[in-house]
Amino acid sequence: MKSFLLGTAALATLCLSLPALAADLPARVTKAPALIAAAYDWSGFYLGVHAGYTFGEDDNISTTGQAAANIANVAGGARPGQVRLDRDGFIGGGQAGYNWQLTPNWVVGLETDISYVDIRNDTNVVTIPLNGIGTLNNNFRTRMEYFGTVRGRIGYAWDRTLLYATGGLAYADIENSVAFFGPAGQLQFAGNNRRTEAGYTVGAGIEHAFASNWTVKAEYLYYDFRDETVNVAVVPGGGGGGTGYNSRFENDGHIVRAGLNYKFGAMGGR
């Protein structure tokens, strides 16, 4: 009986001491799961602006004579057979497009843009007639008023940075003209072509999302509207001989520009 009482007292003492022992143990800390930033989502409609510089691929204008007298003038240097006319200037405008992010890395899209172009260049070449008397003025002029494209885009994205290739339709308002004057300053031959030309464009660029709905890009485009021949016809009463000349202009070039886009809809994370 005495042993039973002693055992019971020992067990009671142990039970009473357990809460005190537990209070002395360090508290267990449960860490919250780490937050993982959502990857950027390129899908959606966007609007933007751009500005840059354009310059010609081939700035040479080639002129040949039509009739025997005109051929002789070119061969003898009375009319210039080759002339260089720079086709460069400012370009700036706006764009709109839509992207689809097909996988975590691959993005496809469509984009259209329209730009004002400040290509307004003239050159005058002074030559000497075959008889060696006096001088002749030969004026060449080129203009581009606007430039636009409708293009597809395909790119590879590293989260907020997109590297892409692009290509499609290009169109522009282009004017090319030539005027040849006689020794007395009278207009002898003239030709002018102005129309909306259609061609193609290809290029590449890089775009970066610096905020949820804002992106900045740098882009290069090559465009080609094919060469164009201007009929520089004889002007009645100007004293010019033969039928005239053919002056060929090259209508291809390069564009380097930067742009800023605003993407509508949900924020960039996905």
Side-chain angles (χ1 to χ4, degrees), residues 54 61 85-89 116-123 139-147 172-178 192-197 223 225 228 230 249-251:
T54 178
I61 303 171
L85 179 59
D86 290 336
R87 294 182 295 108
D88 55 357
Y116 164 77
V117 184
D118 187 27
I119 294 181
R120 301 171 181 272
N121 296 326
D122 304 73
T123 188
N139 186 265
F140 299 83
R141 183 177 70 179
T142 188
R143 300 282 190 272
M144 183 184 290
E145 298 291 338
Y146 64 81
F147 174 89
D173 177 69
I174 297 175
E175 179 184 6
N176 294 315
S177 63
V178 180
N192 177 278
N193 288 352
R194 179 175 181 175
R195 57 193 175 204
T196 299
E197 299 283 356
Y223 64 85
F225 298 112
E228 176 184 53
V230 177
F249 290 73
E250 302 293 338
N251 294 322

Side-chain angles (χ1 to χ4, degrees), residues 72-83:
N73 278 334
V74 174
R79 298 298 182 187
Q82 289 284 338
V83 173

Side-chain angles (χ1 to χ4, degrees), residues 100-210:
W100 293 269
Q101 187 148 3
L102 303 181
T103 71
N105 297 108
W106 288 101
V107 179
V108 298
L110 291 173
E111 181 172 294
T112 183
D113 62 76
I114 185 71
S115 307
Y116 164 77
V117 184
D118 187 27
I119 294 181
R120 301 171 181 272
N121 296 326
D122 304 73
T123 188
N124 188 70
V125 179
V126 179
T127 56
I128 300 175
L130 294 182
N131 60 16
I133 301 174
T135 58
L136 303 172
N137 286 301
N138 307 273
N139 186 265
F140 299 83
R141 183 177 70 179
T142 188
R143 300 282 190 272
M144 183 184 290
E145 298 291 338
Y146 64 81
F147 174 89
T149 73
V150 179
R151 295 173 286 114
R153 302 200 317 169
I154 181 169
Y156 189 87
W158 290 270
D159 193 18
R160 289 177 172 266
T161 301
L162 175 68
L163 184 66
Y164 64 89
T166 184
L169 171 71
Y171 58 92
D173 177 69
I174 297 175
E175 179 184 6
N176 294 315
S177 63
V178 180
F180 291 163
F181 297 88
Q186 77 279 21
L187 182 63
Q188 291 187 324
F189 304 90
N192 177 278
N193 288 352
R194 179 175 181 175
R195 57 193 175 204
T196 299
E197 299 283 356
Y200 72 90
T201 181
V202 294
I206 185 169
E207 189 168 357
H208 179 73
F210 64 90

